[in-house]
Amino acid sequence: MLVHLAIKDFAVVRSAELDFARGLTVISGETGAGKSLLVDALGLLSGLRADSGVVRHGAERAELTAGFVLDDASAALAWLRENALDESEDDSVCQIRRVIRADGGSRAWINGRPATVTQVTELASLLVEIHGQHEHQALLARSSQLALLDAYGRNAAELIVVAKAAEAWSELLREREALLAQGDVSDRIGWLEHQFAELDREALEPDSLLKLQADHRRLAHAAGLITACDGAFAQLGGDEGPSLSRALHHVRGELQRVAEHEPRLVEVDAMLDAAAIQIDEALVMLDRVRSDLDLDPDALTQLEHRLGRIHELSRKHRLPAEQLASQRDSIAAELERLRGADERLQRLDGDIERATATWRQAAGILGAKRRTAAAALSKDTTALIAELGMGGGRFDVALEPIETGRPDPQGGERVEFLVAANPGQPARPLRKVASGGELSRISLAIEVAALGLDAVPTMVFDEVDSGIGGGVAEIVGQKLRALGASRQVLCVTHLPQVAAQGHAHYRVSKAASEGVTQSAVQSLDAKQREDELARMLGGVEMTREARAAAKRLLADVE
C-alpha cells in the first residue's frame, strides 16, 4: 500500500508531500491546477519514460519518492528478496526514488540502492495499477480485450503452457526449414570428410601433444643426456675410481669407531645414513633413465615428421595445436548432422505433428476457461453498466476461433467486446458503437467487475469518470468507494459526487509566485472538504445552495 509520496521541482510543483491511508482517497482541483501531476509522478516512479520537460523551469532536477508498506504485497516482498533489494532493518517497507535531470538523464533507487528502470517497472507492477483518463481507449484494441479477459479468468498459467507449446512447434519448424534450405550437401560432406581424416590421423588430445613434445626433446638431446647420466653414475657410485658412495661409507666407518666418546656423532652418522639411502635411490633412477636413452635417428625423424604435420594442421585451420582436437570434434558433429539430415527430416515431420497436438490440447484447456470467463464477465458487466446509466444495455464477450493452421502463442481464439447501448438493438463491436461517455462507463464497469482478481494493492484512477454526471456520477463514486474496501484507491476527479465518497481528500491549487505559476497540494479537513465540494458544485461563487448541496453529499455518504 502506498503510504507516502514526495515531489520536488516536478512540472509546476515546487514541493509537495502526501500521506495516504487505506480506502478511497480523492484528489480534486481547478482545471489546469495540476491534479493529474500526482498520477504522472506515480507513473514515472513505476518506470515510465522520462524527459527533461518534467523538470520545473529553473531547477536542475526533479525528485520523486514513493513509500510503500508491504503487508498486503507479498509478491513485491518476494521480488525484493529475490533481487537482494529488501531492507535489512525492516522488510515490511519499501521506497522507490527517481531523479530526472534537466539534461534528460535519470537515475532510480530501490530502498536506497541503485536500480535499473526495468527493475523499477517490475517492482512497481506489483505495487501500483494506474488507470489513466484515456486508458479506456485501450478497450477498443482486440489484443487488449483478450488480455483483459485472460486477467479476469485467471488464465496466466494456461497461457504459459500454450505459449511454450507454440514455441516448441516453431523451433521444430525452423529446424525443418533450415534443413530443407541446405539442399544438396554432398560437396560439403566430402570436404568435411577430407578435413576430418587429416585431423583424425593424429593424436591431438592435450596429453598426447605434451608427450610428443617431451619425446622429441628427449631424443633430440639424447647424446648429451647419455653423457651426463654416465658421468653422474660414475661419480656417485661407479665401480672404478673414487665415488661419492664409497667416500661416504668410509667417513661413516671412521666416525662409528669414535662415536662412543661423543654421543652427538651418532646423530651425524644417522644423517649420513639417510644421505647414503638417497644416493642409492638416485643411482637406481639414473640407471632407469639411462636404460631408456638411446641414439635413434630414425625415431627422431618420425617424431619431427609428426610435429611437422601438426604444425601444418595448425596453420591450415588457423588454430593453436591445443584447439585442433576441438576442431576435429566439431567437424565430426557437423558430419553427423549432415549425414542424418534425411533421417532427421523424416523424424521432424512426426515431431511437428506431435507438437501441434500438444498445442491443441493446451489451447483447448485455455479456450474452455476463456468461455467460462467470457460468460461471467458479460453478465457482471451488463449488470454494472445498467447501474451506470445504460439501462437496457448489454455487454457481450464474443470468442472467435482462429483458422490459421499455425499454433498461436495466444491460443486458439480471439476476443471481440460487443455492446448494445439500448434495449432491442443488436450487439455490435465496442469500437464501432460506443461514445466517449459510454466507453468510460463500460471501462469502469469492467474494472469493478474484475475487482479482487489481482494482488496489486493500490489502484489509481485519473479522471476515468469523465463524460458522466448527475445520478450516474454518484453511483460511480459508490463503486470506487466499494473498491476501496478491499484495495487502496486513489482517484483524480472533477465530480463532486465522486469526491464526496472519498475517505480522504486532497485539493490541488495553482497560484502565481514571482511571475511563475506553481501548484500546491493540501489535505482537507471536514470544513475544507465541504468548501471544495461547494466549489465543484457551484463554480467560482460558492452560493448557499452549493454549500447546502455539499453538506447533503457528505451526509449521504456518512
Side-chain angles (χ1 to χ4, degrees):
M1 180 182 73
L2 177 68
V3 293
H4 186 73
L5 178 65
I7 301 173
K8 182 179 179 182
D9 293 329
F10 179 67
V12 293
V13 179
R14 181 187 293 274
S15 179
E17 294 200 20
L18 295 82
D19 293 316
F20 299 97
R22 298 185 181 276
L24 171 63
T25 297
V26 296
I27 302 168
S28 64
E30 297 178 1
T31 301
K35 300 187 295 295
S36 294
L37 286 177
L38 303 179
V39 179
D40 295 339
L42 283 174
L44 289 171
L45 286 166
S46 298
L48 292 182
R49 185 176 179 179
D51 60 65
S52 59
V54 303
V55 181
R56 189 175 65 84
H57 179 70
E60 295 182 356
R61 62 186 186 182
E63 298 184 25
L64 310 170
T65 304
F68 300 86
V69 294
L70 306 179
D71 297 340
D72 52 359
S74 58
L77 181 56
W79 185 96
L80 287 167
R81 289 172 176 167
E82 181 181 347
N83 289 270
L85 289 169
D86 50 323
E87 283 281 301
S88 58
E89 296 182 358
D90 185 1
D91 61 5
S92 67
V93 298
C94 169
Q95 183 188 82
I96 300 176
R97 179 170 176 256
R98 193 167 182 190
V99 171
I100 301 99
R101 299 192 304 272
D103 61 7
S106 72
R107 294 183 63 191
W109 293 263
I110 295 175
N111 287 335
R113 304 173 194 173
T116 65
V117 174
T118 299
Q119 288 177 313
V120 169
T121 302
E122 291 177 357
L123 174 59
S125 69
L126 304 173
L127 294 169
V128 180
E129 185 177 283
I130 298 177
H131 299 267
Q133 57 182 318
H134 302 297
E135 184 176 301
H136 53 260
Q137 296 294 329
L139 284 177
L140 302 182
R142 299 186 69 175
S143 59
S144 298
Q145 294 174 3
L146 182 63
L148 190 150
L149 177 65
D150 283 330
Y152 182 85
R154 300 178 183 269
N155 297 336
E158 289 77 13
L159 266 173
I160 291 173
V161 175
V162 169
K164 287 183 176 178
E167 178 58 26
W169 179 90
S170 297
E171 288 180 1
L172 291 170
L173 189 66
R174 286 193 294 268
E175 182 182 355
R176 185 176 185 277
E177 291 173 347
L179 288 174
L180 290 173
Q182 291 177 1
D184 186 2
V185 294
S186 57
D187 291 342
R188 174 72 176 172
I189 289 176
W191 182 70
L192 290 174
E193 286 177 338
H194 173 72
Q195 287 200 321
F196 178 78
E198 286 185 331
L199 291 167
D200 197 44
R201 279 195 293 268
E202 306 297 335
L204 299 174
E205 279 66 26
D207 290 344
S208 298
L209 293 177
L210 290 174
K211 184 177 183 304
L212 175 61
Q213 293 165 356
D215 290 345
H216 178 264
R217 286 195 301 271
R218 185 169 56 252
L219 279 177
H221 299 87
L225 288 169
I226 290 171
T227 300
C229 286
D230 288 343
F233 195 90
Q235 293 180 48
L236 288 175
D239 295 334
E240 298 179 1
S243 69
L244 184 57
S245 180
R246 284 196 295 273
L248 190 59
H249 182 72
H250 176 73
V251 170
R252 288 188 65 201
E254 292 292 330
L255 292 175
Q256 287 172 358
R257 283 195 292 271
V258 297
E260 60 179 321
H261 307 301
E262 175 51 74
R264 286 177 294 179
L265 292 178
V266 176
E267 295 182 20
V268 174
D269 180 64
M271 295 176 187
L272 292 175
D273 182 47
I277 293 173
Q278 292 291 321
I279 290 172
D280 289 341
E281 291 180 355
L283 286 169
V284 172
M285 181 64 72
L286 271 173
D287 184 60
R288 189 179 302 150
V289 171
R290 176 63 184 84
S291 65
D292 291 340
L293 293 171
D294 193 9
L295 294 174
D296 190 348
D298 292 338
L300 178 60
T301 299
Q302 291 177 3
L303 291 176
E304 288 178 340
H305 285 165
R306 285 187 61 193
L307 282 171
R309 290 194 299 271
I310 290 173
H311 291 156
E312 178 62 28
L313 289 172
S314 293
R315 288 192 296 271
K316 183 175 182 178
H317 292 273
R318 298 181 181 179
L319 291 171
E322 296 79 10
Q323 297 181 20
L324 289 175
S326 296
Q327 176 73 353
R328 178 201 60 205
D329 295 342
S330 296
I331 291 174
E334 185 177 355
L335 274 171
E336 184 178 357
R337 288 196 301 270
L338 293 176
R339 287 168 179 162
D342 290 340
E343 294 180 3
R344 178 57 181 155
L345 275 173
Q346 294 176 4
R347 292 197 304 271
L348 275 172
D349 290 338
D351 292 344
I352 290 173
E353 186 175 345
R354 284 187 289 274
T356 302
T358 299
W359 176 86
R360 284 175 179 162
Q361 181 180 11
I365 294 172
L366 174 61
K369 286 201 66 179
R370 281 174 171 169
R371 288 189 290 275
T372 300
L377 182 60
S378 299
K379 178 181 177 181
D380 293 347
T381 305
T382 296
L384 286 165
I385 63 175
E387 294 184 53
L388 296 177
M390 295 176 64
R394 188 174 80 257
F395 178 84
D396 290 328
V397 179
L399 294 175
E400 304 170 1
I402 301 174
E403 302 294 345
T404 63
R406 298 172 61 91
D408 191 296
Q410 293 296 315
E413 53 275 316
R414 289 292 177 266
V415 167
E416 181 79 76
F417 283 0
L418 306 175
V419 63
N422 298 298
Q425 292 183 345
R428 297 181 59 197
L430 181 64
R431 63 181 183 276
K432 294 182 179 179
V433 299
S435 66
E438 290 169 342
L439 194 57
S440 178
R441 277 174 278 176
I442 292 170
S443 172
L444 183 60
I446 292 173
E447 287 156 4
V448 174
L451 171 62
L453 293 178
D454 57 42
V456 177
T458 300
M459 304 179 72
V460 181
F461 295 90
D462 185 12
E463 296 195 21
V464 294
D465 52 10
S466 61
I468 58 178
V472 175
E474 185 174 355
I475 295 173
V476 168
Q478 292 171 354
K479 297 300 181 184
L480 289 171
R481 187 179 178 91
L483 208 57
S486 59
R487 292 286 186 276
Q488 181 189 41
V489 179
L490 278 61
C491 179
V492 176
T493 182
H494 65 283
L495 297 177
Q497 296 91 338
V498 173
Q501 296 290 332
H503 298 95
H505 194 154
Y506 279 99
R507 179 178 61 203
V508 181
S509 58
K510 64 178 180 178
S513 175
E514 299 178 356
V516 178
T517 299
Q518 297 182 14
S519 291
V521 184
Q522 180 184 8
S523 176
L524 303 183
D525 58 25
K527 178 64 171 64
Q528 291 168 330
R529 283 194 73 186
E530 183 181 309
D531 291 344
E532 175 65 4
L533 291 178
R535 181 199 64 77
M536 297 171 74
L537 285 163
V540 178
E541 295 184 6
M542 287 186 288
T543 62
R544 182 182 306 170
E545 291 78 5
R547 288 186 179 277
K551 287 183 178 180
R552 283 196 301 272
L553 282 176
L554 291 172
D556 290 342
V557 173
E558 296 175 358

